[in-house]
Amino acid sequence: MDLVDKRDVLIGDFRPSLGFYGGVRVGVYLDTTEPKHAKIKGFAMETLKRSSKVWLQELRSNLNIFWGTIESEISKNGAASYIFPLQRCIFSFLCASLAGVDASVSPDIAENGWKTINTWLALQVIPTAKLGVVPQPLEEILLHTWPYPSLLIAGNYKKLYNFIDENAGDCLRLGQEEFGLTRDEAIQNLLFVLGFNAYGGFSVFLPSLIGRITGDNSGLQERIRTEVRRVCGSGSDLNFKTVNEMELVKSVVYETLRFSPPVPLQFARARKDFQISSHDAVFEVKKGELLCGYQPLVMRDANVFDEPEEFKPDRYVGETGSELLNYLYWSNGPQTGTPSASNKQCAAKDIVTLTASLLVADLFLRYDTITGDSGSIKAVVKAK
Ligand code: HEM
């Protein structure tokens, strides 16, 4: 981090109004040289560590509800759009695991909390996101010209704030007592990690993973099913340890992150003049310039990845395969790196890939086959 500064550049040189976070500059906008970054990152990492006790159980019980909804939709309508039911599942899972709160203690939040987060996220990212809903140059003129005011979502955001304030006491005390945050800072940062980092990240990543598997007709489903049932078959359950033994499942998860990185752009500002080299060129960077890293380009580098434009489910299997983890950058750092207070790598680098692997394994303990794409599921055949 001695070369670049990450202050306020999460989504480029535009930072959404701090009104979206009650005026607090939350952790993702802080550079590592700002003392508060270490406190807030420490809070996020300790929250994750504590949540590991209930993570698996909460994930599976919420997935159970999710798949129940999908099955009844399929039997009623012949197909199920799954994005919204999945988002409801992710929201309720994250409230329980990260914040330690059962969302159903507030029927309003259980029903509408995830919808509020969708609007809150959209208002922040639309000014810089490529949507493709209207042709250019209209998208630039109509959607990318002005920031959207936080006031548009302030009332519903306040409800989420109160929900966390009233129910997430243990987690908030951790932020206050162990990391020296005020209660307001703890709430705003917890809401950001839960709503933006975790809910936002999973809402993009999990549909692309599910779509990749359900749309496959190369025999991948059968191979995954065999692996999952071999590992979980002889009396051993699905858990963090057993999922770690599933080389193909993990490789499919890594390959999805390489092929379709959920957060494709990263930004940082040069702290000083320096040179940056690619395989065959050297570039001069001047102090103060804003650099943009484009993951889809980096992770399709033909000097590193064999047939980079191909989705290869087994790419990361075995010893040579696992060396490629040094070049898997979805988390703003290599998959072999360690998130810490002194870098800006995703605090959940490992739990994200584990969670996705658990979802895949859970799916093939439930079903023999599943058919669909990244938006809908057409059929499931229950495990015999
Ligand atoms: C699929 C899900 C996720 C994806 C794709 C993702 C991706 C990322 C990326 C790319 C960054 C770096 C942003 C930047 O500075 O440019 C980041 C940062 C971060 N992520 Fe994740 N993330 C995910 C899930 C989570 C979860 C579940 C947590 C829960 C604790 C989390 C916590 C964080 C935190 C706290 C940071 C800020 C790190 C810092 O300021 O040093 N993320 N994430």
Side-chain angles (χ1 to χ4, degrees), residues 6 9-10 27-30 37 41 44 48 55 94 98 193 197-198 201-202 205 257 262-263 265-267 295 330-332 340 343-348 351-352:
K6 288 281 289 172
V9 291
L10 177 69
V28 279
Y29 292 117
L30 304 183
H37 173 263
K41 185 122 182 216
L48 268 175
W55 196 268
L94 290 170
L98 276 181
V193 167
N197 296 121
F202 280 132
F205 174 40
L257 287 163
V263 185
L265 296 163
Q266 252 85 63
F267 299 88
Q295 291 190 17
W330 69 270
S331 63
N332 193 29
S340 75
N343 64 36
K344 291 290 289 182
Q345 186 163 24
C346 176
I351 196 77
V352 165

Side-chain angles (χ1 to χ4, degrees), residues 315-325:
R315 196 182 286 279
Y316 297 89
V317 170
E319 219 170 285
T320 357
S322 63
E323 274 171 27
L324 291 174
L325 295 177

Side-chain angles (χ1 to χ4, degrees), residues 94-112:
L94 290 170
C95 284
S97 54
L98 276 181
V101 186
D102 180 350
S104 66
V105 297
S106 161
D108 179 27
I109 293 293
E111 187 54 36
N112 299 310

